[in-house]
C-alpha cells in the first residue's frame, strides 16, 4: 500500500481494463443521462457528431473510477483518504460500445498538508485511453493520502 512518501512527481502508471457494452451505455443513460444519443443506436445516428450509440461522459468518468477502485487492495487502501475534487475534466472523444478502456495516471504535484499533520495532497492527472493509446477523457484528481506512520 503506497503512502504519501511513495509517490513521486512524474510517476506514471498504466492499468485497468473496461469493456464498454451497449447494454451498459443504455442502462447508465436511462438512469443518469437520458439523451437520445446515449439511449439508442438510432438516436446516436441522428446526432451530427456521434453517428451512433455513444456513452455519456459521466459514464466514461464512472468507468474510470471503477478501474481506479479495482486497482486498490482488497478491503481498500488505508493510506488513501479519497479525493477533495476534480479539476479540468474533459471528454475528448466519443466512447462507443466495443471500446476497451484503460487508464494512465501521472502524479503532477505532491505536497504535505500545511494544516493537517499526517496528510499529503497529490494532484494526479488521469487519462482514459481507448484501445490502449487514444485519449478519450482526462481529469486531474486532488487526492488525499496519509503519510507513512513513524
Amino acid at each position: 500500500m503506497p503512502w504519501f512518501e511513495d509517490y513521486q512527481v512524474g510517476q506514471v502508471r498504466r492499468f485497468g481494463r473496461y469493456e464498454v457494452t451497449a447494454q451498459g451505455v443504455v442502462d447508465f443513460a436511462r438512469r443518469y443521462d437520458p439523451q437520445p444519443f446515449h439511449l439508442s443506436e438510432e438516436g446516436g445516428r441522428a446526432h451530427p457528431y456521434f453517428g451512433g450509440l455513444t456513452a455519456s461522459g459521466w459514464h466514461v468518468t464512472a468507468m474510470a473510477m471503477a478501474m481506479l477502485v479495482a486497482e486498490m487492495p482488497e478491503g481498500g487502501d488505508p493510506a488513501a483518504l479519497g479525493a477533495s475534487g476534480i479539476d479540468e475534466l474533459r471528454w475528448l472523444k466519443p466512447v462507443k460500445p466495443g471500446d476497451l478502456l484503460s487508464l494512465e495516471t501521472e502524479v503532477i504535484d505532491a505536497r504535505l498538508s500545511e494544516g493537517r499533520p499526517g496528510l499529503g495532497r497529490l494532484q494526479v492527472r488521469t487519462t482514459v485511453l481507448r484501445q490502449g493509446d487514444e485519449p478519450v477523457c482526462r481529469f486531474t484528481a486532488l487526492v488525499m493520502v496519509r503519510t507513512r506512520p513513524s
Side-chain angles (χ1 to χ4, degrees), residues 20-115:
V20 182
T21 67
Q23 189 63 54
V25 168
V26 171
D27 288 347
F28 186 95
R30 280 187 184 134
R31 189 154 186 196
Y32 300 109
D33 194 355
Q35 298 181 74
F37 39 89
H38 300 321
L39 292 170
S40 72
E41 185 67 31
E42 297 75 30
R45 278 198 303 268
H47 192 280
Y49 178 63
F50 296 129
L53 180 63
T54 303
S56 164
W58 296 112
H59 187 194
V60 174
T61 308
M63 290 184 273
M65 189 65 207
M67 286 185 277
L68 288 164
V69 171
E71 249 331 84
M72 292 180 183
E74 191 171 324
D77 183 345
L81 298 173
S84 61
I86 297 281
D87 283 344
E88 303 170 9
L89 172 61
R90 299 288 184 268
W91 298 304
L92 305 170
K93 294 188 178 179
V95 171
K96 307 272 190 177
D99 284 343
L100 183 60
L101 304 180
S102 60
L103 297 180
E104 178 178 278
T105 60
E106 178 183 5
V107 178
I108 58 174
D109 191 35
R111 299 173 191 230
L112 289 170
S113 173
E114 293 180 17

